[in-house]
Amino acid sequence: MRGAAATAGLWLLALGSLLALWGGLLPPRTELPTSRTPEDGLPRHLARSGGREPAPRFPLPPPLARDARGGSLKTFRALLTLAAGADGPPGQPPGERRRHVPTGRPRPEERAAVHGGVFWSRGLEEQVPRGFSEAQAAAWLEAARRARVVALERGGCGRSSNRLARFADGTRACVRYGINPEQIQGEALSYYLARLLGLQRHVPPLALARVEARGAQWAQVQEELRAAHWTEGSVVSLTRWLPNLTDVVVPAPWRSEDGRLRPLRAGGGELANRSRAELVDLVQWTDLILFDYLTANFDRLVSNLFSLQWDPRVMHRATSNLHRGPGGALVFLDNEAGLVHGYRVAGMWDKYNEPLLQSVCVFRERTARRVLELHRGQDAAARLLRLYQHHEPRFPELAALADPHAQLLQRRLDFLAKHILHCKAKYGRRPGT
Ligand SMILES: Nc1ncnc2c1ncn2[C@@H]1O[C@H](COP(=O)(O)OP(=O)(O)OP(=O)(O)O)[C@@H](O)[C@H]1O
Ligand SMILES: [Mg+2]
């Protein structure tokens, strides 16, 4: 009995060694994928939604200090299921990027709209309506500074603190009075940033003026000035009044009801079967999105993205602070949220700003070139202030860009430059494509 047991033991030992040897030849054991989060042990989708309600498409921005980067942004990206993962700037986790890699080559009509894989074609660029030329803007600014206001009316220029001014020569201007000086500061700085980027054709010429009841400019509207309750000595902005502006609805690629943004790029199908007019519009929209990203202006498309939480049709309504001039050019009105106020709250809105920017992978070549220049020079704020100072005599009457904001402008330009280079690396034309 003992002998039989010993023999059986020897057999078992031999069998165990064989199994161990075989196991050693196998690749290391791979873990089965699991959807549990390490912290809570719940499946990720349930953990996110609290187990009952589906997660909101655009969660409310969490408090400022915590949300500048990191966790909440990642959660937002996941919720947005934005293919921006594919189009994000370098440095994103490769896994995120791989998940959304688009396939397929641009169709011929898409290729014709785009050159070099990422730039709008020259033919399309040439069809973008001219808007305000540099010379027209300069002439208007000079005239507005000397002009005497003969009427100051309520209505036609937005909120009740603004006025529509008529000058002695019959031309008109919207006068914007800031409840807070940073509104006028943001408006003026944004105007000069648009000029620095070559986008001035879309932003109405803007001059600063000082409210002085006894000054020559306001002498004929004393009564109206009193009724406006503007503080004596405050700086207001005058923008050229534009007749016959019409509303604008965001074009199809961003007209989402479910919060999903699809990357706009050649070969992504978004440009296929678009009319020439639609493509010319898209050229302008891509500039607008870049501009609003740089200035952190949340008061246009980004506020729409935010409102999608409770208003799924918001993208089908007129976009605030955006109009079309009679010549067809998009007019970026009301940039007061840009650069100053926008920068103060950028941490809160960047979870919308960044995916929106990353949804653009086709650029106006000239805009991209300017951005890359400002990235290389690392001197964007200095150049902006030089331009502002050179063209606006009242420059010293408003605060310039504070140091942290100057640095943020440069960081945003750097982020944008990286995004452009990323798109170029990914979609730029390579031999044989
Ligand atoms: N320069 C201008 N030329 C023509 N119309 C203008 C001009 N500026 C403003 N307006 C008109 O006034 C409206 C509001 O302008 P704006 O956004 O600058 O002011 P607001 O006080 O921010 O008002 P809102 O809250 O409606 O945005 C615009 O939608 C436009 O119809
Ligand atoms: Mg407005």
Side-chain angles (χ1 to χ4, degrees):
M1 187 74 190
R2 198 178 286 166
T7 315
L10 275 174
W11 270 109
L12 276 173
L13 204 69
L15 193 66
S17 311
L18 256 176
L19 280 173
L21 186 69
W22 186 35
L25 295 175
L26 284 175
R29 201 156 64 103
T30 35
E31 293 292 335
L32 280 176
T34 169
S35 58
R36 283 167 194 275
T37 58
E39 321 84 69
D40 55 23
L42 282 173
R44 204 176 293 278
H45 66 281
L46 290 181
R48 208 188 295 136
S49 65
R52 283 201 185 101
E53 301 294 322
R57 279 179 299 254
F58 291 95
L60 278 170
L64 198 63
R66 281 195 309 114
D67 67 0
R69 292 282 184 279
S72 58
L73 183 59
K74 214 168 158 211
T75 309
F76 172 78
R77 286 226 171 100
L79 290 173
L80 198 61
T81 46
L82 168 73
D87 292 328
Q92 273 189 312
E96 245 180 72
R97 246 180 287 155
R98 244 195 326 268
R99 257 204 322 275
H100 302 290
V101 169
T103 51
R105 288 177 174 208
R107 289 174 228 173
E109 69 273 25
E110 291 176 278
R111 226 179 287 151
V114 172
H115 81 94
V118 291
F119 298 122
W120 293 115
S121 71
R122 308 228 159 87
L124 273 180
E125 281 238 23
E126 275 159 24
Q127 287 179 41
V128 174
R130 295 282 133 223
F132 317 101
S133 73
E134 192 105 15
Q136 278 173 332
W140 188 85
L141 292 184
E142 190 151 326
R145 287 188 184 116
R146 282 187 280 103
R148 298 185 173 215
V149 181
V150 296
L152 201 55
E153 293 157 12
R154 291 183 73 131
C157 288
R159 73 190 59 149
S160 61
S161 53
N162 299 344
R163 291 289 182 274
L164 177 62
R166 192 150 44 79
F167 296 129
D169 66 358
T171 61
R172 285 180 282 187
C174 275
V175 189
R176 179 177 277 274
Y177 175 79
I179 311 297
N180 180 324
E182 72 178 29
Q183 293 171 279
I184 306 299
Q185 196 194 352
E187 186 81 44
L189 281 163
S190 298
Y191 172 61
Y192 283 100
L193 185 67
R195 287 181 63 159
L196 189 61
L197 293 166
L199 304 179
Q200 67 276 355
R201 63 165 71 172
H202 296 292
V203 184
L206 174 146
L208 296 177
R210 179 181 276 274
V211 177
E212 287 169 321
R214 279 193 238 122
Q217 193 162 34
W218 309 98
Q220 296 177 53
V221 287
Q222 295 293 308
E223 196 55 40
E224 295 91 327
L225 209 53
R226 263 193 297 279
H229 299 295
W230 291 344
T231 304
E232 175 76 6
S234 38
V235 176
V236 292
S237 66
L238 308 176
T239 49
R240 179 174 155 181
W241 196 78
L242 309 163
N244 307 320
L245 293 178
T246 52
D247 287 346
V248 184
V249 174
V250 69
W254 296 282
R255 204 184 299 153
S256 143
E257 285 184 25
D258 63 359
R260 286 164 191 256
L261 295 174
R262 298 194 52 199
L264 182 75
R265 60 183 176 80
E270 293 295 324
L271 305 183
N273 307 318
R274 301 245 170 252
S275 68
R276 205 74 182 161
E278 282 178 293
L279 289 170
V280 169
D281 242 23
L282 289 178
V283 176
Q284 302 180 69
W285 273 88
T286 55
D287 266 353
L288 173 67
I289 290 173
L290 264 54
F291 181 61
D292 282 354
Y293 172 76
L294 288 177
T295 57
N297 188 346
F298 50 82
D299 210 4
R300 253 186 294 264
L301 206 45
V302 159
S303 68
N304 280 5
L305 288 175
F306 180 68
S307 301
L308 273 173
Q309 286 174 98
W310 49 80
D311 181 4
R313 301 282 299 162
V314 69
M315 290 298 193
H316 297 254
R317 295 184 227 293
T319 310
S320 54
N321 300 320
L322 185 70
H323 290 280
R324 191 184 300 284
L330 290 187
V331 181
F332 314 167
L333 275 184
D334 182 4
N335 296 297
E336 70 175 17
L339 285 160
V340 188
H341 182 57
Y343 276 11
R344 270 204 298 105
V345 295
M348 196 157 75
W349 291 100
D350 274 352
K351 61 180 73 58
Y352 303 95
N353 279 317
E354 287 178 10
L356 184 59
L357 172 68
Q358 288 163 350
S359 75
V360 174
C361 239
V362 187
F363 312 93
R364 267 182 67 207
E365 192 167 10
R366 202 184 57 173
T367 312
R369 210 179 317 120
R370 294 259 171 124
V371 168
L372 294 173
E373 254 171 54
L374 291 165
H375 165 60
R376 274 193 296 272
Q378 290 293 300
D379 58 351
R383 285 178 64 178
L384 171 63
L385 295 181
R386 271 205 301 275
L387 190 68
Y388 186 10
Q389 196 163 17
H390 183 74
H391 291 281
E392 178 48 67
R394 292 196 183 275
F395 166 80
E397 296 175 36
L398 282 178
L401 206 55
D403 256 1
H405 288 172
Q407 287 161 22
L408 185 52
L409 171 62
Q410 190 63 55
R411 281 206 301 279
R412 294 180 92 79
L413 275 157
D414 296 346
F415 186 88
L416 172 53
K418 280 189 189 135
H419 175 61
I420 294 170
L421 293 174
H422 166 77
C423 290
K424 263 180 100 170
K426 203 167 175 74
Y427 305 116
R429 187 168 305 147
R430 286 175 289 266
T433 61

